[in-house]
Tab-separated table of all heavy atoms in Angstrom:
chain	number	residue	atom	x	y	z
S	54	ASP	N	18.517	0.761	-39.345
S	54	ASP	CA	18.341	0.166	-40.667
S	54	ASP	C	17.298	0.891	-41.503
S	54	ASP	O	16.936	0.422	-42.588
S	54	ASP	CB	17.944	-1.313	-40.536
S	54	ASP	CG	19.047	-2.134	-39.882
S	54	ASP	OD1	20.229	-1.857	-40.162
S	54	ASP	OD2	18.728	-3.034	-39.088
S	55	GLY	N	16.800	2.022	-40.984
S	55	GLY	CA	15.830	2.798	-41.743
S	55	GLY	C	14.395	2.332	-41.587
S	55	GLY	O	13.508	2.815	-42.296
S	56	ARG	N	14.134	1.414	-40.648
S	56	ARG	CA	12.781	0.913	-40.451
S	56	ARG	C	12.037	1.771	-39.434
S	56	ARG	O	12.609	2.192	-38.431
S	56	ARG	CB	12.815	-0.538	-39.965
S	56	ARG	CG	13.376	-1.515	-40.986
S	56	ARG	CD	13.576	-2.879	-40.391
S	56	ARG	NE	14.547	-2.848	-39.292
S	56	ARG	CZ	15.073	-3.927	-38.730
S	56	ARG	NH1	14.735	-5.119	-39.166
S	56	ARG	NH2	15.952	-3.813	-37.746
S	57	VAL	N	10.749	2.017	-39.680
S	57	VAL	CA	9.909	2.753	-38.740
S	57	VAL	C	9.436	1.784	-37.665
S	57	VAL	O	8.897	0.718	-37.964
S	57	VAL	CB	8.698	3.383	-39.454
S	57	VAL	CG1	7.781	4.070	-38.434
S	57	VAL	CG2	9.166	4.378	-40.501
S	58	VAL	N	9.669	2.143	-36.400
S	58	VAL	CA	9.351	1.267	-35.277
S	58	VAL	C	8.316	1.939	-34.373
S	58	VAL	O	8.454	3.117	-34.041
S	58	VAL	CB	10.618	0.939	-34.454
S	58	VAL	CG1	10.262	0.063	-33.255
S	58	VAL	CG2	11.657	0.255	-35.330
S	59	TYR	N	7.281	1.195	-33.993
S	59	TYR	CA	6.321	1.624	-32.989
S	59	TYR	C	6.491	0.718	-31.776
S	59	TYR	O	6.485	-0.513	-31.901
S	59	TYR	CB	4.889	1.505	-33.503
S	59	TYR	CG	4.527	2.511	-34.555
S	59	TYR	CD1	4.713	2.233	-35.900
S	59	TYR	CD2	3.984	3.747	-34.207
S	59	TYR	CE1	4.378	3.156	-36.879
S	59	TYR	CE2	3.645	4.675	-35.169
S	59	TYR	CZ	3.842	4.378	-36.502
S	59	TYR	OH	3.509	5.294	-37.468
S	60	THR	N	6.635	1.302	-30.600
S	60	THR	CA	6.883	0.497	-29.410
S	60	THR	C	6.459	1.260	-28.165
S	60	THR	O	6.273	2.480	-28.197
S	60	THR	CB	8.382	0.130	-29.309
S	60	THR	OG1	8.608	-0.630	-28.117
S	60	THR	CG2	9.250	1.377	-29.269
S	61	ASP	N	6.313	0.510	-27.040
S	61	ASP	CA	6.010	1.145	-25.761
S	61	ASP	C	7.273	1.430	-24.962
S	61	ASP	O	7.201	1.901	-23.837
S	61	ASP	CB	5.057	0.273	-24.938
S	61	ASP	CG	5.654	-1.093	-24.615
S	61	ASP	OD1	6.639	-1.479	-25.267
S	61	ASP	OD2	5.125	-1.772	-23.715
S	62	ARG	N	8.437	1.121	-25.546
S	62	ARG	CA	9.712	1.375	-24.864
S	62	ARG	C	10.386	2.619	-25.441
S	62	ARG	O	10.321	2.842	-26.645
S	62	ARG	CB	10.646	0.173	-25.014
S	62	ARG	CG	10.120	-1.098	-24.367
S	62	ARG	CD	11.087	-2.253	-24.575
S	62	ARG	NE	10.618	-3.470	-23.943
S	62	ARG	CZ	10.801	-3.776	-22.666
S	62	ARG	NH1	11.487	-2.948	-21.894
S	62	ARG	NH2	10.330	-4.894	-22.156
S	63	PRO	N	11.025	3.422	-24.601
S	63	PRO	CA	11.736	4.603	-25.125
S	63	PRO	C	12.752	4.197	-26.182
S	63	PRO	O	13.398	3.149	-26.061
S	63	PRO	CB	12.426	5.182	-23.882
S	63	PRO	CG	11.600	4.713	-22.735
S	63	PRO	CD	11.108	3.340	-23.125
S	64	PRO	N	12.914	4.990	-27.226
S	64	PRO	CA	13.838	4.637	-28.307
S	64	PRO	C	15.287	4.692	-27.852
S	64	PRO	O	15.638	5.428	-26.929
S	64	PRO	CB	13.560	5.705	-29.372
S	64	PRO	CG	12.986	6.853	-28.618
S	64	PRO	CD	12.207	6.244	-27.496
S	65	PRO	N	16.165	3.908	-28.486
S	65	PRO	CA	17.585	3.935	-28.135
S	65	PRO	C	18.237	5.230	-28.606
S	65	PRO	O	17.679	5.941	-29.456
S	65	PRO	CB	18.145	2.724	-28.903
S	65	PRO	CG	17.236	2.578	-30.075
S	65	PRO	CD	15.867	2.942	-29.565
S	66	PRO	N	19.413	5.566	-28.079
S	66	PRO	CA	20.086	6.807	-28.477
S	66	PRO	C	20.363	6.891	-29.974
S	66	PRO	O	20.446	7.984	-30.531
S	66	PRO	CB	21.394	6.766	-27.678
S	66	PRO	CG	21.088	5.910	-26.487
S	66	PRO	CD	20.125	4.873	-26.990
S	67	SER	N	20.503	5.742	-30.645
S	67	SER	CA	20.800	5.748	-32.082
S	67	SER	C	19.571	6.001	-32.945
S	67	SER	O	19.683	6.133	-34.163
S	67	SER	CB	21.418	4.403	-32.479
S	67	SER	OG	20.510	3.334	-32.204
S	68	ALA	N	18.389	6.072	-32.335
S	68	ALA	CA	17.157	6.236	-33.105
S	68	ALA	C	17.092	7.618	-33.752
S	68	ALA	O	17.649	8.589	-33.244
S	68	ALA	CB	15.949	6.031	-32.202
S	69	LYS	N	16.398	7.686	-34.864
S	69	LYS	CA	16.200	8.938	-35.577
S	69	LYS	C	14.710	9.268	-35.618
S	69	LYS	O	13.864	8.388	-35.552
S	69	LYS	CB	16.746	8.834	-37.008
S	69	LYS	CG	18.226	8.479	-37.104
S	69	LYS	CD	18.647	8.316	-38.551
S	69	LYS	CE	20.115	7.909	-38.667
S	69	LYS	NZ	20.522	7.715	-40.080
S	70	GLU	N	14.422	10.554	-35.718
S	70	GLU	CA	13.047	11.033	-35.882
S	70	GLU	C	12.129	10.493	-34.792
S	70	GLU	O	11.009	10.062	-35.049
S	70	GLU	CB	12.500	10.661	-37.262
S	70	GLU	CG	13.314	11.229	-38.417
S	70	GLU	CD	12.739	10.842	-39.770
S	70	GLU	OE1	11.555	10.458	-39.822
S	70	GLU	OE2	13.485	10.908	-40.752
S	71	SER	N	12.620	10.495	-33.553
S	71	SER	CA	11.818	9.965	-32.448
S	71	SER	C	10.627	10.866	-32.158
S	71	SER	O	10.735	12.087	-32.144
S	71	SER	CB	12.674	9.831	-31.193
S	71	SER	OG	13.729	8.926	-31.406
S	72	GLN	N	9.498	10.248	-31.888
S	72	GLN	CA	8.271	10.960	-31.556
S	72	GLN	C	7.523	10.214	-30.466
S	72	GLN	O	7.620	8.986	-30.373
S	72	GLN	CB	7.356	11.097	-32.774
S	72	GLN	CG	7.947	11.868	-33.935
S	72	GLN	CD	6.990	11.922	-35.114
S	72	GLN	OE1	5.801	11.623	-34.979
S	72	GLN	NE2	7.506	12.282	-36.272
S	73	ILE	N	6.808	10.956	-29.641
S	73	ILE	CA	5.859	10.367	-28.707
S	73	ILE	C	4.481	10.718	-29.243
S	73	ILE	O	4.120	11.892	-29.306
S	73	ILE	CB	6.024	10.911	-27.279
S	73	ILE	CG1	7.449	10.677	-26.778
S	73	ILE	CG2	5.022	10.265	-26.345
S	73	ILE	CD1	7.704	11.248	-25.404
S	74	LYS	N	3.733	9.725	-29.631
S	74	LYS	CA	2.470	9.990	-30.301
S	74	LYS	C	1.326	10.256	-29.338
S	74	LYS	O	0.537	11.155	-29.524
S	74	LYS	CB	2.098	8.822	-31.215
S	74	LYS	CG	3.171	8.494	-32.249
S	74	LYS	CD	3.492	9.678	-33.138
S	74	LYS	CE	2.356	9.992	-34.093
S	74	LYS	NZ	2.705	11.086	-35.006
S	75	ARG	N	1.197	9.410	-28.309
S	75	ARG	CA	0.159	9.584	-27.301
S	75	ARG	C	0.631	8.936	-26.016
S	75	ARG	O	1.619	8.234	-25.992
S	75	ARG	CB	-1.172	8.935	-27.724
S	75	ARG	CG	-1.896	9.644	-28.832
S	75	ARG	CD	-3.262	9.034	-29.054
S	75	ARG	NE	-4.077	9.153	-27.866
S	75	ARG	CZ	-5.324	8.657	-27.782
S	75	ARG	NH1	-5.854	8.010	-28.780
S	75	ARG	NH2	-6.024	8.804	-26.671
S	76	ALA	N	-0.158	9.133	-24.950
S	76	ALA	CA	0.190	8.449	-23.716
S	76	ALA	C	-1.039	7.914	-23.009
S	76	ALA	O	-1.089	7.793	-21.811
S	76	ALA	CB	0.958	9.380	-22.788
S	77	GLY	N	-2.075	7.602	-23.730
S	77	GLY	CA	-3.249	6.968	-23.151
S	77	GLY	C	-3.704	7.638	-21.875
S	77	GLY	O	-4.083	8.792	-21.857
S	78	GLY	N	-3.647	6.902	-20.742
S	78	GLY	CA	-4.094	7.441	-19.476
S	78	GLY	C	-3.133	8.436	-18.876
S	78	GLY	O	-3.450	9.060	-17.880
S	79	ASN	N	-1.935	8.573	-19.449
S	79	ASN	CA	-1.018	9.574	-18.952
S	79	ASN	C	-1.267	10.880	-19.699
S	79	ASN	O	-2.395	11.252	-19.933
S	79	ASN	CB	0.423	9.085	-19.082
S	79	ASN	CG	0.683	7.904	-18.172
S	79	ASN	OD1	0.137	7.821	-17.094
S	79	ASN	ND2	1.492	6.979	-18.614
S	80	PHE	N	-0.239	11.557	-20.129
S	80	PHE	CA	-0.541	12.884	-20.616
S	80	PHE	C	0.194	13.291	-21.872
S	80	PHE	O	-0.153	14.288	-22.474
S	80	PHE	CB	-0.207	13.922	-19.535
S	80	PHE	CG	1.263	14.173	-19.447
S	80	PHE	CD1	1.845	15.244	-20.110
S	80	PHE	CD2	2.079	13.327	-18.747
S	80	PHE	CE1	3.207	15.459	-20.049
S	80	PHE	CE2	3.427	13.541	-18.686
S	80	PHE	CZ	3.996	14.604	-19.335
S	81	VAL	N	1.224	12.589	-22.275
S	81	VAL	CA	2.111	13.120	-23.302
S	81	VAL	C	1.426	13.185	-24.656
S	81	VAL	O	0.845	12.230	-25.108
S	81	VAL	CB	3.389	12.265	-23.397
S	81	VAL	CG1	4.289	12.802	-24.495
S	81	VAL	CG2	4.119	12.254	-22.074
S	82	GLU	N	1.498	14.305	-25.310
S	82	GLU	CA	1.011	14.479	-26.673
S	82	GLU	C	1.923	15.503	-27.320
S	82	GLU	O	1.801	16.707	-27.109
S	82	GLU	CB	-0.432	14.970	-26.667
S	82	GLU	CG	-1.026	15.139	-28.057
S	82	GLU	CD	-1.215	13.793	-28.758
S	82	GLU	OE1	-1.639	12.837	-28.115
S	82	GLU	OE2	-0.926	13.738	-29.973
S	83	THR	N	2.908	15.036	-28.067
S	83	THR	CA	3.909	15.949	-28.589
S	83	THR	C	4.497	15.407	-29.875
S	83	THR	O	4.089	14.370	-30.362
S	83	THR	CB	5.033	16.165	-27.550
S	83	THR	OG1	5.900	17.168	-28.037
S	83	THR	CG2	5.817	14.882	-27.315
S	84	ASP	N	5.430	16.110	-30.449
S	84	ASP	CA	6.083	15.673	-31.664
S	84	ASP	C	7.502	15.228	-31.328
S	84	ASP	O	7.691	14.323	-30.564
S	84	ASP	CB	6.072	16.801	-32.701
S	84	ASP	CG	4.666	17.066	-33.201
S	84	ASP	OD1	3.930	16.088	-33.398
S	84	ASP	OD2	4.312	18.231	-33.401
S	85	LYS	N	8.484	15.900	-31.864
S	85	LYS	CA	9.854	15.443	-31.681
S	85	LYS	C	10.399	15.855	-30.315
S	85	LYS	O	10.073	16.899	-29.788
S	85	LYS	CB	10.733	16.012	-32.787
S	85	LYS	CG	10.334	15.510	-34.174
S	85	LYS	CD	11.232	16.079	-35.256
S	85	LYS	CE	10.830	15.556	-36.632
S	85	LYS	NZ	11.677	16.093	-37.704
S	86	ILE	N	11.241	14.997	-29.762
S	86	ILE	CA	11.919	15.301	-28.516
S	86	ILE	C	13.415	15.190	-28.757
S	86	ILE	O	13.862	14.519	-29.686
S	86	ILE	CB	11.491	14.351	-27.388
S	86	ILE	CG1	11.703	12.884	-27.796
S	86	ILE	CG2	10.043	14.579	-27.008
S	86	ILE	CD1	11.375	11.894	-26.702
Side-chain angles (χ1 to χ4, degrees):
D54 296 323
R56 294 172 298 191
V57 176
V58 178
Y59 289 90
T60 179
D61 61 344
R62 297 179 179 276
S67 60
K69 302 176 182 179
E70 301 180 19
S71 298
Q72 299 178 15
I73 303 177
K74 304 302 289 184
R75 289 187 61 182
N79 294 326
F80 77 96
V81 178
E82 182 68 41
T83 186
D84 291 320
K85 296 181 179 180
I86 55 177

